[in-house]
Amino acid sequence: MEMALKTSYGILLTMITFQWLFSLGTCFVGVNYGTQGDNLPAPADAVNLIKSSQITAVRLYEPDLPILDALRGSGITISLGTKNEDLQNLASSTAATDGWLNTNVIPYNDVAFMYITLGNEVVPGPFSQFVLPAMQNMKTSLDNAGLSAQIAVTTDVSMAVLGASYPPSQGAFADGVVDVMTDITKFLYSNCAPLMVNAYPYMALVSDPEHISMPYALFTSPDPVVVDGDWTYYNLYDAMIDSFVAATAKVVGDDDMPLVVSETGWPSAGNDPYTTIDNAQTYNNNLKNQVLSKGTPRRPNVLLNAFIFSLFNEDLKPAGVEQNWGNFYPSMQPVYPLWGSL
């Protein structure tokens, strides 16, 4: 009986904690911190920039111990990813996830971890089969370390997992991934943990400019663009998020699946006329205002944590658009005004 009570209390504590994390009024807009550049600032300088810019949350794609060392005591909320190529090992045993935590999380008890993401856009793909067992093992390891109430285990996916997204109410997982996404969604939902989603109106615009307008993609349309039953959409970002709400609702039976926007943003160069500094500034500033003030038409009172892509322009990425998603140049000068300053 005593063990049962302790177990029930632990589950209740986790539910209360994560309900608080995802409730109205507690959201943040953070930034993705990529490292594919040979001219990027030292981690300590980058963290000082993040703090001075009043950025409160950072997403790391994989463990980077110098960056984690620089984040010690900063109070910055951290989402920490695993390498995609490590998923198979992490799915093999809790000994593997214990070792990963003992290297990358537990020694950093003065770093504010909130999420651990098992895989980055690996569904669909050959690593898909390892996501759920890796998350299960990581959750067990966090339980055993007493960290489950403060760190959520999740994964992040792109729009590619949706077989339908228009209109948003018809959002549904694609046939080829419906089984794996159903299992992932049910696991996350049962643990009050979010599904992380990458939503890029820019990508949709440039792939179909005849049917998607720039104002709809940039949050600047003065009139509704899509009317979907009781829901009216002025911007594509909302429509993308609500298509995930609809897809997950088909799995869990309700609209209350926690979501986090793990990536969104707009490049500032590389594909004229879409990628201008003005467009990037417009999108990201409007995104911040939207995310911090209201939810989507389908869930107007639910604010979602979101991470903007990305912190710096990264010169080791393919030339063109891929090198120009940064909010800052490697010199740490802003590409355009977006973040605050102390």
Side-chain angles (χ1 to χ4, degrees), residues 39-87:
N39 57 354
L40 299 179
D45 294 330
V47 170
N48 284 335
L49 174 66
I50 292 165
K51 291 167 63 177
S52 67
S53 301
Q54 302 180 50
I55 300 171
T56 61
V58 165
R59 178 171 173 244
L60 301 176
Y61 288 90
E62 61 186 55
D64 186 306
L65 301 190
I67 294 176
L68 291 175
D69 279 329
L71 287 165
R72 288 182 181 275
S74 67
I76 298 167
T77 297
I78 302 301
S79 173
L80 181 61
T82 65
K83 294 181 180 179
N84 290 345
E85 56 268 31
D86 290 343
L87 279 176

Side-chain angles (χ1 to χ4, degrees), residues 142-276:
L142 286 168
D143 287 342
N144 293 337
L147 295 173
S148 289
Q150 66 193 69
I151 303 175
V153 172
T154 182
T155 189
D156 73 88
V157 296
S158 72
M159 296 290 293
V161 302
L162 298 182
S165 60
Y166 180 85
S169 62
Q170 297 304 304
F173 293 125
D175 290 343
V177 300
V178 66
D179 290 340
V180 68
M181 285 306 303
T182 294
D183 291 342
I184 286 171
T185 301
K186 286 182 176 179
F187 171 79
L188 295 174
Y189 189 74
S190 69
N191 287 286
C192 305
L195 175 66
M196 285 190 160
V197 301
N198 295 344
Y200 284 104
Y202 164 78
M203 301 291 195
L205 170 67
V206 298
S207 68
D208 191 10
E210 290 186 8
H211 297 100
I212 297 173
S213 71
M214 187 83 79
Y216 187 49
L218 289 175
F219 297 91
T220 58
S221 175
D223 302 308
V225 177
V226 172
V227 177
D228 182 11
D230 294 334
W231 302 302
T232 301
Y233 293 87
Y234 288 78
N235 67 80
L236 181 53
Y237 171 87
D238 278 351
M240 287 179 160
I241 301 306
D242 273 357
S243 67
F244 273 103
V245 174
T248 56
K250 291 177 174 66
V251 174
V252 303
D254 206 339
D255 280 2
D256 61 346
M257 177 71 197
L259 299 174
V260 169
V261 180
S262 41
E263 289 182 22
T264 190
W266 199 282
S268 60
N271 185 21
D272 291 338
Y274 308 107
T275 57
T276 65

